[in-house]
Amino acid sequence: VLNLDDEHAILELDPTEAQWRRRLYWLLFITERAYAIQRRKHTRLHPSIQLPLVFSSEDAQLLNGFVNLVHLFSAVNDDFVKVWRGQRKKSLCSEPWLAGTQHALDATAFALQDVTETQQLDIEVSREWLHVLAWQMGVSNGLLWSPHDEFMRLDYPVGLAKKVVKITQGANPVALDSHGIGMEQKLSDIVGCLADVLRCAAGDQSETFMQGREYLNILLQQLSSRRGKESRYLRPLVSKMGDLVGYPMSPALALPAPDGVDMGSVYEEQEVGSELNGWQ
């Protein structure tokens, strides 16, 4: 109705007003795309207009981080969302398409040393989270694990978890916590995928999977104290861990679910607007 997605309409506006509208549209685009993935919904917004200007803006550093996030979620195209929603058509999810998607995710975020730490954390963790989802889509659509294809190897999520541990362990806790429930959900999705991989590789004592168990424990520990309290996603994850980590977990991770709480339902409760946290 506002023609925010119409490049010709925006070009007719005052330059300052046009820039504000571009920012608003792309903010809505990022939020809808993240929400569509979290809830397996359709998308209605598309990358149909130019990005806002960075270097002539009043805060080039902030806009640079924002544009990087736009690039990242633009790599999650309509086909990605369709496959994630369960439309399992071979024409949509093939090995070349999956590899192209993974490469696109890596190629989108650049010059992250020029953005704030809060933005960098969001971009980097979101990128690894999307990598995990893409890998899971390949598996669920019958693409066999291949030792010759890095994106379809069984140990691929272990490498992603390693990156996430490195990102989060070296982060300022305040910057990490500023992303709220959205960051917790992404970490829990990564942990859940890693746990499934380690279960498939049960009995494999190779260095890769032994390290994977260490990353699993570290990420679970992080979820035990997010934003000064236990994450809502922790107990459902722990409930399916068993002895997966290979050694006793801390008492905080071994607690049963509270009486009367269906922890399985926690996965169904996602909050809208998680991509806005930390960017205001």
Side-chain angles (χ1 to χ4, degrees):
V1 174
L2 296 175
N3 289 325
L4 293 178
D5 60 340
D6 188 335
E7 180 66 27
H8 296 294
I10 291 179
L11 289 173
E12 294 176 358
L13 299 172
D14 171 80
T16 300
E17 175 70 16
Q19 286 304 305
W20 280 108
R21 292 202 176 205
R22 291 187 193 281
R23 296 178 191 182
L24 176 58
Y25 180 77
W26 285 109
L27 186 60
L28 293 170
F29 172 87
I30 292 169
T31 305
E32 186 207 41
R33 197 121 309 199
Y35 179 81
I37 295 170
Q38 292 165 347
R39 292 290 189 90
R40 298 181 187 266
K41 300 292 186 181
H42 290 286
T43 54
R44 291 182 171 83
L45 304 183
H46 306 282
S48 57
I49 64 171
Q50 295 181 14
L51 292 167
L53 298 176
V54 173
F55 298 109
S56 62
S57 67
E58 72 281 5
D59 193 335
Q61 185 183 40
L62 184 67
L63 262 293
N64 182 38
F66 178 69
V67 167
N68 268 282
L69 195 65
V70 170
H71 282 305
L72 181 63
F73 278 91
S74 294
V76 182
N77 59 24
D78 291 341
D79 284 348
F80 186 108
V81 176
K82 288 178 182 178
V83 175
W84 184 243
R85 291 184 65 246
Q87 298 178 4
R88 301 182 177 183
K89 298 179 180 179
K90 187 64 176 179
S91 59
L92 288 182
C93 189
S94 62
E95 290 187 21
W97 173 83
L98 184 62
T101 298
Q102 298 283 34
H103 283 301
L105 290 172
D106 277 333
T108 49
F110 54 90
L112 294 185
Q113 69 274 13
D114 297 326
V115 306
T116 68
E117 182 182 11
T118 300
Q119 293 174 317
Q120 184 173 350
L121 284 169
D122 192 16
I123 293 167
E124 291 186 331
V125 173
S126 295
R127 181 175 55 200
E128 305 314 321
W129 172 63
L130 291 170
H131 274 307
V132 163
L133 300 189
W135 183 87
Q136 289 177 315
M137 287 193 301
V139 173
S140 65
N141 280 273
L143 300 184
L144 300 178
W145 293 318
S146 169
H148 308 295
D149 185 346
E150 63 173 315
F151 297 122
M152 287 312 300
R153 287 169 47 176
L154 179 59
D155 62 356
Y156 181 63
V158 177
L160 297 177
K162 178 181 180 179
K163 293 180 182 179
V164 173
V165 166
K166 182 178 180 181
I167 293 166
T168 54
Q169 280 194 320
N172 182 327
V174 175
L176 189 61
D177 288 347
S178 69
H179 294 292
I181 194 68
M183 181 64 69
E184 292 179 30
Q185 183 196 344
K186 290 168 186 172
L187 291 177
S188 72
D189 288 344
I190 293 168
V191 169
C193 179
L194 177 60
D196 290 338
V197 166
L198 294 176
R199 199 169 296 283
C200 289
D204 190 322
Q205 298 299 312
S206 64
E207 182 179 2
T208 297
F209 292 110
M210 292 300 293
Q211 289 177 341
R213 294 179 179 87
E214 294 178 14
Y215 305 144
L216 178 66
N217 196 53
I218 291 170
L219 293 172
L220 286 171
Q221 295 287 350
Q222 291 182 2
L223 286 172
S224 72
S225 59
R226 279 276 60 83
R227 295 183 290 160
K229 61 182 180 180
E230 179 186 292
S231 169
R232 65 168 68 180
Y233 299 106
L234 177 66
R235 298 194 187 205
L237 287 169
V238 172
S239 68
K240 70 173 186 178
M241 292 294 119
D243 58 353
L244 191 56
V245 293
Y247 44 83
M249 292 184 287
S250 72
L253 297 183
L255 293 174
D259 292 340
V261 176
D262 177 11
M263 297 309 294
S265 66
V266 170
Y267 285 121
E268 302 302 322
E269 300 175 10
Q270 311 296 351
E271 296 185 14
V272 182
S274 62
E275 291 308 318
L276 301 180
N277 296 328
W279 291 81
Q280 301 173 347

